[in-house]
Amino acid sequence: MVAGQHLRTPVVFTLETLVVAACYYAGGRLGLLRDLTVGGAVVSPIWPPTGVAVACLLIRGLRCWAGIALGALLVLMHLTTLRPSSLGVLAGNTAAPVCGYLLLRGVGFRTDLTRLRDCLALVFLAAFGAMLISSSVGVGLLVATGDLPGEGFWGVWLAWWVGDAMGVLLVTPLLLVLRGLRAPVRWSRWKEAAGLTLITGGLVPLATHSPASVLFSVYPLLIWAALRFQLAGSMMCALYASVLATLAATDRAGPFEALSEVEIMINLQAFNGAMALTALLLSAVIAEQRNTRRSIERACQELVEVLEHLTAGESAAGRLPREEGGRRREADDG
């Protein structure tokens, strides 16, 4: 029995590492399908591997770092020939999600994302804060090795940092929500969900590919999804809109048609960031309000039960003296 447990632990660790690496690599291949050129460097507007890495760490713990490093290595091997500077990029891409996980664990982060503080921690610690490591290390090495001119540092650094942050903001919450789903899923408002899906599926492509600047028309759908279906609905809506906006931006279609490379990046990342933040924060506020209402309802129900017990006790106490008095009078008469 003991020998079997000792053998099982390395096997489980190896399988877990391979699964995490495969998910990271798959996310990288998806992110590489669409890219933008900024300052002569090719960057991904949304880098899903960072979101996959943070989600794996939150779900499985710190031991996932080996799978993240292996997945990052596979992505680098797909992109370019490995050089000594690649080790620095690999270290930065591994350290960023690990630091984000450690920061989240330090503030008592809960993966259900039903508290506003958890969403704010994910935004400012794991996304905006920890992803500074990967972007700074990666772009710094590009400049140091001469692959990127020094004057292009800040533009490429900003694009790299925002792309990594968008991966955390859009992918990590969705993976955490999917992990928390339990079968069978009961859609009590399935007609409303179907209607929202149909409207979103028709309106978002029009908004993201229309020559007119009507991207703002997506926000009512996002608010509807958050109000009625909370984080699961809002994050799916936000990810769908962000992906279609990225497709339009990389194709230079719709509202991105007449913009320069820098303007495309700024407008696209502003839209994606606003979608992710709105979905996260609004869903968290709604969840907190619902939890508060349920707590109040439970407290009121408990108070009603206590009052009923007290009332029943007072009635019983009142009956006892009357019964004793009646028995005394019967005894005196006898």
Side-chain angles (χ1 to χ4, degrees), residues 235-274:
M235 288 311 306
M236 289 181 182
C237 182
L239 182 61
Y240 177 64
S242 297
V243 168
L244 289 187
T246 300
L247 294 177
T250 52
D251 290 337
R252 291 180 174 272
F256 306 97
E257 183 177 2
L259 301 180
S260 65
E261 293 177 351
V262 175
E263 290 173 337
I264 289 175
M265 185 198 73
I266 293 174
N267 283 272
L268 174 62
Q269 301 296 30
F271 175 75
N272 289 344

Side-chain angles (χ1 to χ4, degrees), residues 48-84:
T50 56
V52 172
V54 173
C56 289
L57 288 165
L58 290 171
I59 294 171
R60 302 300 299 170
L62 196 57
R63 61 182 178 273
C64 289
W65 74 267
I68 296 170
L70 178 58
L73 177 62
L74 295 175
V75 173
L76 285 174
M77 292 174 62
H78 174 75
L79 285 174
T80 184
T81 304
L82 294 181
R83 293 175 294 177

Side-chain angles (χ1 to χ4, degrees), residues 1-323:
M1 180 67 70
V2 176
Q5 291 178 349
H6 285 306
L7 290 174
R8 187 161 56 248
T9 301
V11 171
V12 171
F13 175 77
T14 302
L15 291 176
E16 189 175 78
T17 299
L18 293 176
V19 170
V20 172
C23 293
Y24 190 102
Y25 179 72
R29 293 299 299 267
L30 287 175
L32 293 172
L33 292 177
R34 294 288 174 159
D35 51 49
L36 293 173
T37 302
V38 179
V42 178
V43 295
S44 175
I46 302 174
W47 188 237
T50 56
V52 172
V54 173
C56 289
L57 288 165
L58 290 171
I59 294 171
R60 302 300 299 170
L62 196 57
R63 61 182 178 273
C64 289
W65 74 267
I68 296 170
L70 178 58
L73 177 62
L74 295 175
V75 173
L76 285 174
M77 292 174 62
H78 174 75
L79 285 174
T80 184
T81 304
L82 294 181
R83 293 175 294 177
S85 59
S86 301
L87 296 177
V89 176
L90 176 62
N93 289 344
T94 305
V98 170
C99 289
Y101 163 72
L102 294 175
L103 289 172
L104 292 177
R105 191 175 68 172
V107 297
F109 179 83
R110 285 180 7 194
T111 56
D112 56 6
L113 291 171
T114 56
R115 301 183 302 178
L116 182 60
R117 57 173 291 185
D118 295 326
C119 293
L120 291 175
L122 184 68
V123 172
F124 292 103
L125 297 180
F128 292 161
M131 294 306 121
L132 292 171
I133 298 173
S134 56
S135 59
S136 300
V137 172
V139 181
L141 286 172
L142 289 177
V143 174
T145 56
D147 294 330
L148 179 70
E151 58 270 16
F153 176 86
W154 289 112
V156 178
W157 176 87
L158 180 62
W160 189 318
W161 173 60
V162 176
D164 284 359
M166 287 302 103
V168 176
L169 293 180
L170 290 169
V171 177
T172 300
L174 187 59
L175 293 178
L176 294 178
V177 167
L178 293 177
R179 181 228 179 193
L181 292 179
R182 295 291 182 268
V185 179
R186 294 182 177 87
W187 290 98
S188 58
R189 295 187 298 271
W190 64 268
K191 293 182 180 179
E192 184 180 2
L196 175 61
T197 302
L198 291 175
I199 295 173
T200 302
L203 180 60
V204 173
L206 292 176
T208 54
H209 288 77
S210 172
S213 297
V214 290
L215 288 175
F216 60 86
S217 62
V218 178
Y219 286 96
L221 298 176
L222 184 65
I223 295 171
W224 179 9
L227 287 172
R228 302 298 291 171
F229 304 101
Q230 298 186 53
L231 190 62
S234 64
M235 288 311 306
M236 289 181 182
C237 182
L239 182 61
Y240 177 64
S242 297
V243 168
L244 289 187
T246 300
L247 294 177
T250 52
D251 290 337
R252 291 180 174 272
F256 306 97
E257 183 177 2
L259 301 180
S260 65
E261 293 177 351
V262 175
E263 290 173 337
I264 289 175
M265 185 198 73
I266 293 174
N267 283 272
L268 174 62
Q269 301 296 30
F271 175 75
N272 289 344
M275 292 291 291
L277 291 174
T278 302
L280 271 173
L281 301 182
L282 182 58
S283 299
V285 170
I286 294 170
E288 279 195 342
Q289 290 180 344
R290 291 188 175 184
N291 291 336
T292 301
R293 185 186 65 188
R294 289 169 184 165
S295 299
I296 294 174
E297 289 175 351
R298 285 195 299 267
C300 291
Q301 183 63 33
E302 291 174 358
L303 180 60
V304 169
E305 293 176 357
V306 170
L307 291 176
E308 289 177 351
H309 287 304
L310 290 175
T311 303
E314 290 177 355
S315 300
R319 286 196 301 271
L320 286 175
R322 288 196 296 272
E323 291 175 356

Side-chain angles (χ1 to χ4, degrees), residues 316-332:
R319 286 196 301 271
L320 286 175
R322 288 196 296 272
E323 291 175 356
E324 291 178 357
R327 286 195 294 269
R328 291 195 189 99
R329 286 194 296 271
E330 291 176 358
D332 293 340

